Amino acid sequence: MTAIPILQCALAAGCAWWVATVPIGHQKPFFAPIAAVVSLGVALGARFRRSVELVVGVAVGVGIGDVLINMIGSGAWQIVLVVALAMIAAVLLDGGPVITVQAASSAVLVATLLPPGANGGFDRMIDALTGGLVGVAVVAMVPTNPILRAKDTAGEILGVAAEVLRMCADGLMEQNAKTIAESLHLARDTQAKIDALRNDLRGGHEISRISPLHWNTRAKVARLAEIADPLDNAVRNIRVLVRRSLSLVRDDEILDPRLVDEVEKLSHAVETVRSATLAGLEDRPGLAEAQRELRAVAAGARFDLVRKAGLSASVVLAQLRSTIVDLLQVTGVDRKAALATLPPTVPNPFVPPEPDITW
């Protein structure tokens, strides 16, 4: 958790209470600061939807609570019934976790602390709407950088990928299954970072739309969003590459040392891609250098490296080639052009190789 999300939540809670009590005139608008904090959360992304879900959840919970508590009174079994009905109604409406939890919470408050009344439900819905809108306003006026978090997360992913490939190459060279197993464990831990990247990108897109301070970053956010899928694909391919490398060593399969060298070279190329990404994908010389290194690795990823090898070595080569294509897309090369950098493995490949490349 960083300082800015904490500041946003604190400001939103205080401002929501003030707006609901002073301009609107409600006496105890507890739903306003709660809605403001929940609509912000501590993560970026989907705040508009979250604010709407809050209002719907409060409406469902307060509405059912007001009606039923007026009819059946308050007590343990009444709370069971009210909460169950409120959550069922919320699930039927949307099924989203925010709506369901907020409906249950609102129903509990009505059933226990807040006596139902003719205008109470409407006032609480207004408070929830006020809190949600204040939360969005705070995001616009005190925004986080829409690019920085996603860029740093992408850099972390690429850094781990480079380390995984380096360890894998060392393990292949030394025929050390333990080193490769450790690199596989490290590679599998990257999925949480991939998910965080996608969430950061959603949040960055949202901020670049609602915050006047960052309207000029929309193109940069869109460019950064373009790397999410190929980066995810690259990491998945690296996982398979490492897993088959582990099988290769355990089976004592014949391996061409040039293939190990290719894996090592790819790890260095990934580091260069990482540097270009951390520069914001605007460092033209950095991107050009990354593309040059990836093309050099692609040129060496030839079928003859595995012509006399077993299945695992063939899979390692295939995943290496796929990873190169994915990483070239991260640097801005379209998929067809990226495929054209690879030496052909069949007489008539779907994407012919670049005419000026010799292998």
Side-chain angles (χ1 to χ4, degrees), residues 336 339-342 349-355:
K336 187 173 181 180
L339 287 168
T341 65
L342 296 171
F350 176 70
V351 178
E354 295 177 354

Side-chain angles (χ1 to χ4, degrees), residues 30-213:
F30 54 89
F31 273 117
I34 290 175
V37 171
V38 175
S39 67
L40 284 170
V42 294
L44 302 174
R47 288 193 174 111
F48 284 117
R49 176 178 173 84
R50 196 179 303 171
S51 298
V52 172
E53 288 177 341
L54 275 169
V55 177
V56 174
V58 170
V60 170
V62 169
I64 291 178
D66 272 340
V67 171
L68 289 182
I69 297 303
N70 267 322
M71 295 173 57
I72 62 179
S74 182
W77 70 268
Q78 289 93 334
I79 292 176
V80 172
L81 180 61
V82 167
V83 171
L85 290 177
M87 294 185 75
I88 290 171
V91 169
L92 292 176
L93 282 174
D94 178 87
V98 175
I99 291 181
T100 305
V101 172
Q102 193 62 40
S105 302
S106 302
V108 168
L109 287 171
V110 171
T112 55
L113 300 178
L114 305 171
N119 297 323
F122 181 74
D123 288 348
R124 292 159 195 157
M125 285 184 276
I126 293 296
D127 291 340
L129 177 61
T130 299
L133 293 176
V134 168
V136 172
V138 168
V139 171
M141 300 309 296
V142 189
T144 55
N145 189 305
I147 299 174
L148 186 60
R149 289 181 62 161
K151 185 175 63 176
D152 288 347
T153 303
E156 290 179 16
I157 295 168
L158 287 164
V160 172
E163 177 66 10
V164 166
L165 289 168
R166 185 194 63 76
M167 292 176 64
C168 181
D170 290 344
L172 287 171
M173 183 62 69
E174 300 166 1
Q175 291 288 291
N176 188 332
K178 181 179 179 181
T179 300
I180 299 176
E182 290 174 355
S183 71
L184 180 58
H185 179 74
L186 190 62
R188 285 171 172 165
D189 285 344
T190 56
Q191 189 56 52
K193 293 184 182 296
I194 292 289
D195 296 339
L197 172 63
R198 294 189 182 279
N199 189 60
D200 291 341
L201 288 169
R202 286 193 296 269
H205 177 69
E206 182 183 73
I207 291 172
S208 68
R209 290 173 56 205
I210 67 176
S211 175
L213 299 176

Side-chain angles (χ1 to χ4, degrees), residues 14-32:
C15 292
W17 178 270
W18 181 85
V19 171
T21 53
V22 179
I24 297 178
H26 291 175
Q27 295 300 313
K28 294 182 178 180
F30 54 89
F31 273 117

